[in-house]
Amino acid sequence: MLRETTTALPQRRRAPLGLGLILGLVALGLAVVASMAVGAKGLPPSAVADALLHHDPANPDHVIVWEVRIPRTLIGVLAGAALGLAGAIIQGVTRNPLADPGILGVNAGASLCIVAAISLAGIQSMTGYVWFAFLGAGLAAVLVYGIGSLGRDRATPLKIALTGAACEAAFRSLTTGILVTDNATYEQFRFWQVGALAGRDSSVVTQALPFLVAGFVLALASARALNGLAMGDDVARGLGVHVGAGRALCALAVVVLCGTATAMAGPIAFVGLMVPHAARLITGPDHRWLLPYSMVLAPLVLLAADIVGRVLAQPGELQVGIVTAAIGAPVFIALVRRKRVRG
């Protein structure tokens, strides 16, 4: 009976949900075009199309599109998809509506390990960054959940969120401490520290892509386990879900996705918090739809925030991590104040 309940409702809604996902992809495509057109030098869509179809290395507009806008846009799409999926998974596996890789300190832990590796071990390659990001993300997740589980109430949503916020602040302080005492590292990563899509070339995308593909596969494969875990461990076992293996799969997916996204773009908060909540309003709690929707809507939000940052501060620009924090902080406060979120 439970198995029928978990499958019958999505079947009735499959057509409208599929149409909504297609519309989301269309909106993401428009955001991609806008991301390649908007900037310190605005380019009309026809100039972008000409650069894509008839690339001329001597044409300054074509150089801007290929050397600056395309890598920036691809990093936004990939990092956004990774953060959206990670947020949906971490909220589902912890059954915590306040969970977000940024708020829980996972991204900050990854960035701390990357900066420490650069400063202390001289690591300079994207591939090296990723492994240290995995280490930092994993250690941060274990630390936050361990501290948040202390006490009689165990791991309540508010305790986990507060513990994550405290750890995130501590990780950021340590990261800043390393950077201000190492001028070379600070100059190289002062924009990366706040979360940015600019200043990366296409080699970042090619080096990160294998890790992201692995993370996407792990994340989408965890949908059935997340649906079972959402009903409680006993019900999940009754539905044939191996609880331990399901949680391990989810944790591995979050570490890979958050570590790679942080290595690419720095610690970007609130995308993984906001987008799964918005997607859940459309899909309901079924992770077979929630995960693909989060994967499509998160890069849409991240690219939109990046474009807003370019427009508001011309001729300079606001880094995308600052814009997402300005948008996401009120959302986080509203979620905390909801009556059903209790400590």
Side-chain angles (χ1 to χ4, degrees):
M1 181 66 183
L2 284 172
R3 193 184 302 274
E4 293 175 357
T5 303
T6 60
T7 58
L9 181 60
Q11 288 174 352
R12 291 197 297 270
R13 300 181 59 193
R14 184 170 299 171
L17 286 175
L19 178 60
L21 196 58
I22 293 172
L23 293 176
L25 288 170
V26 172
L28 178 58
L30 295 175
V32 167
V33 174
S35 178
M36 288 192 285
V38 176
K41 181 178 182 181
L43 298 173
S46 58
V48 174
D50 185 57
L52 294 176
L53 298 176
H54 309 98
H55 177 45
D56 178 5
N59 187 321
D61 290 347
H62 293 194
V63 173
I64 291 173
V65 170
W66 280 95
E67 301 296 330
V68 179
R69 303 279 172 82
I70 288 179
R72 181 175 190 157
T73 302
L74 287 176
I75 290 173
V77 170
L78 294 172
L83 293 173
L85 280 172
I89 291 173
I90 206 168
Q91 288 175 14
V93 75
T94 62
R95 297 198 289 273
N96 184 348
L98 302 179
D100 167 71
I103 294 173
L104 297 188
V106 177
N107 293 346
S111 65
L112 173 59
C113 268
I114 292 173
V115 171
I118 294 167
S119 180
L120 302 178
I123 301 298
Q124 295 292 331
S125 70
M126 174 69 193
T127 307
Y129 296 166
V130 167
W131 292 109
F132 281 96
F134 292 165
L135 175 64
L139 291 176
V142 171
L143 180 64
V144 169
Y145 189 80
I147 296 176
S149 301
L150 297 176
R152 288 185 303 174
D153 296 336
R154 306 293 294 173
T156 65
L158 194 54
K159 280 175 62 180
I160 292 290
L162 293 174
T163 304
C167 290
E168 193 267 350
F171 296 152
R172 281 187 178 273
S173 297
L174 291 172
T175 301
T176 303
I178 295 173
L179 290 174
V180 297
T181 57
D182 187 335
N183 288 335
T185 304
Y186 176 74
E187 287 300 323
Q188 187 175 356
F189 289 98
R190 59 197 175 105
F191 290 118
W192 175 87
Q193 184 188 9
V194 297
L197 305 181
R200 280 77 166 159
D201 57 32
S202 57
S203 66
V204 172
V205 176
T206 55
Q207 293 179 66
L209 193 58
F211 298 100
L212 287 172
V213 170
F216 293 156
V217 172
L218 290 171
L220 295 175
S222 69
R224 181 172 176 273
L226 285 168
N227 279 349
L229 292 172
M231 300 179 189
D233 292 357
D234 292 338
V235 176
R237 292 189 185 95
L239 291 171
V241 175
H242 192 294
V243 173
R247 286 206 171 97
L249 176 64
C250 294
L252 181 61
V254 169
V255 168
V256 171
L257 292 170
C258 290
T260 310
T262 303
M264 293 174 69
I268 298 175
F270 295 110
V271 173
L273 172 73
M274 295 183 293
V275 172
H277 281 285
R280 201 172 287 111
L281 293 175
I282 302 171
T283 68
D286 189 344
H287 287 83
R288 291 172 299 180
W289 287 102
L290 177 60
L291 293 177
Y293 265 82
S294 298
M295 188 177 181
V296 171
L297 296 181
L300 176 61
V301 170
L302 194 60
L303 287 182
D306 187 43
I307 294 169
V308 169
R310 297 183 219 176
V311 173
L312 288 181
Q314 286 187 342
E317 59 182 63
L318 290 173
Q319 301 304 319
V320 69
I322 298 173
V323 179
T324 58
I327 299 171
V331 175
F332 178 69
I333 293 171
L335 289 171
V336 171
R337 291 178 60 84
R338 286 174 64 172
K339 291 183 180 180
R340 64 182 180 183
V341 180
R342 300 181 185 280

